[in-house]
């Protein structure tokens, strides 16, 4: 861990405030402090990447188990009723 | 008029809003023409998530299913008046959460969303024993057991996708609904706060806890995969 860049943010704190960072909810100073830490700390860079990967995988189209035919039937009925109009 | 592009999948580089609005306009036109296949595709796309989100408001899976079906009826009734000022998806989920809240209060099961805390409220995002003691002279609060990089091929595998899905389903209510709406459905923070009736800070706390747990689940799972080079 480099001592060249002054860094008062602990790794333990980084994992607690990472969501504020990713959400863009930090003040410019807080963001600078956070990014400063990342420059010097490879494990925290890994952690941030893991968090980004986690978010990305969450957004993958979920593997559907399928909607029960009875539900589909009920909804199709509702659609046909609506189509017919008042 | 620019032809609409089909938005087939969500990805890290999400389709620009204008593309989604174009696709919505075409879809709504199909629905208004009575296209049943288009309706079933829309149902396939959203129904399970709608049930999952409704589950955060009502007392049972069966009730959540009823709420979701009620919401679809609401969608159809409101479709003629849909002006495309928001995306169709946002609009559908707004109807869903309104139905869920109203059914929740009728069932007298509703709690303010922010009150949906859990025993994991005070859990750290990463086990404390993975960090060096705060009083250490050189590396206070530094990693003692640092995270290992994940190989892309493991990360994007079907197995990992399924694992994440299960991890989301296992989350306490509140966290589950927020991460579903934010990270699975990719709705904005503002929309989600409005739908769930929670503050931005509250939403962020729930999102943080959810994401931390999911990340930990993926890490545990991938740890068994052998060294990634």
């Amino acid at each position: 861990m480099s001592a060249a860049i002054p860094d008062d943010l602990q790794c333990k704190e980084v994992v607690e405030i990472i969501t504020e960072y990713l959400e863009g909810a930090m003040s410019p100073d807080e963001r600078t402090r956070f990014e400063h830490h990342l420059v010097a700390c490879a494990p925290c860079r890994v952690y941030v990447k893991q968090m980004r990967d986690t978010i990305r995988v969450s957004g993958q189209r979920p593997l559907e188990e399928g909607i029960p035919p009875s539900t589909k039937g009920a909804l199709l009925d509702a659609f046909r009723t609506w189509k017919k109009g008042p | 008029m620019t032809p609409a592009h089909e938005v087939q999948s969500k990805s890290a580089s999400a389709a620009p809003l204008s593309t989604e609005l174009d696709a919505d306009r075409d879809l709504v036109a199909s629905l208004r023409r009575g296209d049943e296949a288009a309706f079933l595709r829309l149902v396939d796309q959203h129904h399970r998530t709608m049930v999952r989100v409704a589950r955060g408001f009502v007392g049972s899976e069966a009730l959540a299913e009823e709420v979701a079906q009620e919401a679809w009826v609401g969608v159809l009734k409101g479709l003629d008046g849909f002006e495309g000022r928001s995306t169709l998806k946002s609009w559908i989920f707004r109807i869903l959460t309104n139905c869920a809240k109203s059914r929740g209060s009728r069932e007298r099961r509703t709690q303010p969303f922010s009150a949906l805390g859990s025993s994991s409220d005070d859990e750290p995002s990463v086990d404390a024993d993975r960090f060096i003691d705060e009083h250490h002279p050189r590396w206070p609060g530094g990693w003692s057991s640092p995270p290992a990089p994940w190989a892309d091929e493991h990360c994007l595998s079907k197995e990992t996708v399924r694992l994440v899905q299960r991890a989301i389903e296992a989350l306490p209510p509140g966290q589950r609904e927020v991460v579903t709406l934010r990270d699975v459905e990719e709705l904005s923070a503002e929309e989600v706060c409005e739908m769930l009736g929670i503050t931005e800070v509250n939403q962020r706390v729930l999102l943080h806890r959810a994401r931390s747990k999911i990340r930990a689940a993926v890490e545990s799972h991938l740890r068994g995969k052998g060294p990634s080079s």
Side-chain angles (χ1 to χ4, degrees):
Chain A
M1 213 174 295
S2 164
I5 300 169
D7 166 20
D8 61 349
L9 188 56
Q10 296 183 1
C11 304
K12 196 172 181 176
E13 205 186 333
V14 165
V15 305
E16 297 303 332
I17 63 177
I18 186 176
T19 301
E20 285 166 48
Y21 175 69
L22 294 174
E23 291 285 278
M26 286 181 167
S27 71
D29 282 350
E30 286 169 333
R31 192 169 65 240
T32 300
R33 188 172 167 247
F34 191 88
E35 287 173 347
H36 234 194
H37 178 96
L38 292 185
V39 166
C41 182
C44 282
R45 284 200 300 276
V46 169
Y47 190 84
V48 171
K49 178 157 195 307
Q50 285 182 354
M51 195 54 91
R52 290 194 200 273
D53 286 343
T54 299
I55 296 166
R56 191 162 43 100
V57 177
S58 299
Q60 296 300 314
R61 195 78 189 92
L63 307 163
E64 294 295 349
E65 295 140 33
I67 299 168
S70 53
T71 303
K72 268 198 177 158
L75 291 175
L76 210 44
D77 281 344
F79 187 71
R80 287 167 181 162
T81 304
W82 170 74
K83 255 167 64 176
K84 278 206 214 88
Chain B
M1 183 148 87
T2 334
H5 301 282
E6 276 301 319
V7 179
Q8 294 295 349
S9 65
K10 296 180 286 261
S11 63
S13 54
L17 182 61
S18 56
T19 305
E20 191 174 353
L21 293 175
D22 282 346
D24 283 350
R25 201 172 32 239
D26 288 354
L27 176 56
V28 170
S30 305
L31 295 173
R32 286 174 180 157
R33 282 195 304 271
D35 185 342
E36 287 183 2
F39 179 64
L40 286 177
R41 273 197 304 275
L42 187 64
V43 165
D44 261 335
Q45 208 178 344
H46 296 307
H47 185 77
R48 289 205 70 81
T49 307
M50 288 163 70
V51 172
R52 190 179 300 139
V53 171
R55 187 67 188 84
F57 292 89
V58 298
S60 71
E61 186 73 17
L63 276 175
E65 177 64 49
E66 275 181 42
V67 166
Q69 292 196 27
E70 221 176 271
W72 283 116
V73 173
V75 165
L76 292 173
K77 287 192 175 144
L79 201 57
D80 284 337
F82 177 71
E83 288 169 23
R85 275 186 269 117
S86 72
T87 63
L88 189 61
K89 177 165 67 176
S90 297
W91 184 69
I92 290 172
F93 277 96
R94 204 168 302 132
I95 291 174
L96 187 268
T97 50
N98 286 339
C99 288
K101 278 179 215 158
S102 122
R103 175 65 78 101
S105 59
R106 287 209 303 277
E107 303 285 327
R108 294 183 207 281
R109 291 292 205 134
T110 235
Q111 302 167 20
F113 218 83
S114 53
L116 287 170
S118 73
S119 58
S120 63
D121 272 5
D122 293 324
E123 265 175 32
S125 308
V126 175
D127 276 342
D129 59 13
R130 292 183 64 176
F131 297 100
I132 298 165
D133 185 79
E134 289 196 20
H135 305 294
H136 192 278
R138 291 183 71 192
W139 300 298
W143 289 95
S144 57
S145 173
W150 294 343
D152 278 341
E153 66 268 16
H154 288 146
C155 211
L156 298 172
S157 72
K158 280 205 188 113
E159 209 183 327
T160 306
V161 174
R162 259 188 233 113
L163 176 94
V164 165
Q165 238 187 304
R166 283 200 301 272
I168 291 173
E169 273 159 33
L171 290 170
Q175 292 178 32
R176 189 180 56 219
E177 279 70 49
V178 169
V179 81
T180 298
L181 291 170
R182 287 297 316 276
D183 291 349
V184 178
E185 293 300 323
E186 293 175 353
L187 297 174
S188 75
E190 293 72 29
E191 286 173 318
V192 172
C193 288
E194 198 201 302
M195 280 178 208
L196 299 180
I198 58 180
T199 64
E200 201 184 310
V201 171
N202 201 237
Q203 185 252 177
R204 197 163 51 240
V205 168
L206 290 168
L207 184 63
H208 176 76
R209 288 182 186 144
R211 285 175 174 174
S212 300
K213 287 206 187 74
I214 299 166
R215 187 215 66 90
V218 175
E219 183 180 49
S220 277
H221 172 74
L222 293 181
R223 209 180 274 135
K225 293 284 168 191
S228 45
S229 47

